[in-house]
Amino acid sequence: MAFTSTLSLYSHPQVRLRHQRLQSLALTAAGVAQFAPLPALSGRRTRSQRVRFGSVVVRASSSVEGTRARATGSRRVYRQSQANAPLSSAPVKQIANFVAPFAAFFALTLLTVIWKLVEKLLVPNPKQLKSSTVESQPPSQGLKWSFAAGTNLLSQLGAKIERQSKQKLNEFARELRSFPSIDMSGRNFGDEGLFFLAESLAFNQTAEEVSFAANGITAAGLRAFDGVLQSNITLKTLDLSGNLVGDEGAKCLCDILVNNSSIEKLQLNSADLGDEGAKAIAEMLKKNSCLRVLELNNNMIEYSGFSSLAGALLENNSIRNIHLNGNYGGALGANALAKALESNKSLRELHLHGNSIGDEGIRSLMTGLSSHKGKLTLLDIGNNSLTAKLQSALADARDHVLEMTEKEINIFL
């Protein structure tokens, strides 16, 4: 229920202050300016008009209707705030939904990169770990062998491969005991594999020809024949070509073959032999009376080695064929062999292909053939830089040999 104040603003100044306080309360409660400015009064306002103005304001602010309007305004402000709240949070949710997958992917990628870096820094390289393990691990007592070419087994490999490799070597050993001719070239079983297989040759009465060519055998591996070849009386051919045994290996093998009484053909082609190896073989030939064929092709034997072999021919009466192709004998080496031909009666074939002998060396050989008292049937002197002037000399030598031995000699140029 409204009431009207007729007090003068001048006599009661607190009315003006209350009027202003009510205005601020109305604006705060409603949140939106519902207060309409009053119509402007003329410049000449009477005192009663000013009192009425203040009364109107006080009545509007103090009435019950004003209280209801204030409550309605508050509800309207709350509803508007509730309606505007989702609109204000919707863009944030959209941005979050868009950015979240990329942020997760970036975080996962960053973690992966960090993990790889930590793994490289902290986890040792498998190859380095393997090499360090091999160096630090003591040599194994057993034998571990591969069953394929080029895969010698080391002590740290698995037990499964070890069983398979030993099984394969056992099969090789059975072959050595079962067949007269066995070709085991290119198996790459190495030195220790040869130690395993050499036992099958001891007192073997079946194998006559065995090839261990190109198996990665070194000078240390040839010691496996010690005590084996001395007791074997059946083996006729032993091929160790393609194994880089070197001069030390030749010395070791010759010490064993000195007392061998069965091997007739020894092949040491491409075995990295030099003059020292040839000297060891020459000393063996002076004492061995069983060897018939000696192949030393494609090695590094020079004049000194040729001279040693020529000296052995002066004492040996059992050797038949000597193959020295692809070495470095030269004219001096041919001259040394020519002197040996004058006295040796057992030699049948001499192969000197590709030794850079030249015309001088060929003339020395022809002179030796003219005085040869044996039955040489083949002389291979091809690829030795011969000139056309030697054609007539070779023809004369061939005719002379035919007259002396009643058998034509084959000279290969």
Side-chain angles (χ1 to χ4, degrees), residues 230-402:
Q230 293 93 328
S231 60
N232 187 294
I233 59 174
T234 306
L235 187 63
K236 304 297 182 183
T237 300
L238 179 61
D239 186 2
L240 294 171
S241 301
N243 295 294
L244 302 181
V245 297
D247 293 340
E248 294 298 324
K251 294 176 182 179
C252 177
L253 184 62
C254 290
D255 291 340
I256 298 172
L257 292 179
V258 168
N259 299 320
N260 178 268
S261 59
S262 63
I263 294 180
E264 298 180 355
K265 183 177 181 179
L266 177 62
Q267 295 172 278
L268 289 172
N269 304 314
S270 303
D272 196 29
L273 301 182
D275 289 339
E276 295 299 321
K279 291 178 181 179
I281 294 173
E283 294 299 322
M284 183 267 296
L285 288 176
K286 293 178 181 180
K287 300 176 182 179
N288 185 293
S289 59
C290 183
L291 194 63
R292 299 290 185 269
V293 179
L294 176 63
E295 294 187 8
L296 302 175
N297 299 321
N298 302 320
N299 285 291
M300 297 182 292
I301 304 174
E302 299 181 0
Y303 160 72
S304 178
F306 273 61
S307 299
S308 299
L309 293 173
L313 290 178
L314 297 176
E315 300 182 25
N316 185 288
N317 294 317
S318 61
I319 192 73
R320 296 288 185 270
N321 303 338
I322 295 181
H323 298 253
L324 292 169
N325 299 327
N327 283 281
Y328 304 91
L332 295 177
N335 188 28
L337 291 176
K339 295 179 179 180
L341 289 176
E342 297 178 2
S343 302
N344 184 278
K345 298 180 180 180
S346 62
L347 195 62
R348 298 290 183 269
E349 297 181 7
L350 180 60
H351 299 261
L352 298 174
H353 185 95
N355 272 278
S356 302
I357 294 175
D359 292 354
E360 183 180 354
I362 295 300
R363 291 192 182 96
S364 299
L365 287 173
M366 295 301 104
T367 302
L369 286 176
S370 61
S371 303
H372 180 63
K373 300 178 180 180
K375 298 181 179 180
L376 188 69
T377 59
L378 189 148
L379 176 63
D380 185 0
I381 52 175
N383 193 23
N384 277 292
S385 304
L386 304 181
T387 61
K389 296 180 180 180
L390 290 178
Q391 297 298 329
S392 58
L394 293 177
D396 296 340
R398 185 183 298 111
D399 295 339
H400 179 73
V401 172
L402 178 60

Side-chain angles (χ1 to χ4, degrees), residues 80-148:
Q80 289 179 356
S81 64
Q82 293 296 323
N84 293 333
L87 294 176
S88 61
S89 61
V92 177
K93 291 183 178 180
Q94 292 178 358
I95 294 173
N97 293 334
F98 179 77
V99 173
F102 291 96
F105 176 76
F106 177 77
L108 182 61
T109 305
L110 182 61
L111 289 175
T112 303
V113 173
I114 294 174
W115 176 257
K116 292 293 184 182
L117 292 175
V118 172
E119 185 179 8
K120 288 183 177 180
L121 293 175
L122 298 181
V123 179
N125 192 349
K127 293 183 178 179
Q128 297 177 355
L129 182 61
K130 180 178 178 181
S131 61
S132 63
T133 304
V134 174
E135 293 176 358
S136 61
Q137 187 174 4
S140 61
Q141 299 298 328
L143 296 175
K144 300 178 178 62
W145 294 112
S146 64
F147 49 90

Side-chain angles (χ1 to χ4, degrees), residues 154-181:
L154 299 177
S155 58
Q156 75 277 13
L157 297 183
K160 181 178 179 180
I161 300 180
E162 179 182 351
R163 290 194 302 269
Q164 292 176 346
S165 59
K166 284 186 176 181
Q167 181 179 359
K168 201 67 178 179
L169 283 175
N170 287 327
E171 293 178 2
F172 295 161
R174 284 194 292 271
E175 290 182 14
L176 288 173
R177 293 189 294 265
S178 303
F179 301 99
S181 179

Side-chain angles (χ1 to χ4, degrees), residues 23-35:
Q23 280 185 340
S24 63
L25 290 173
L27 290 173
T28 304
V32 180
Q34 299 295 332
F35 176 77

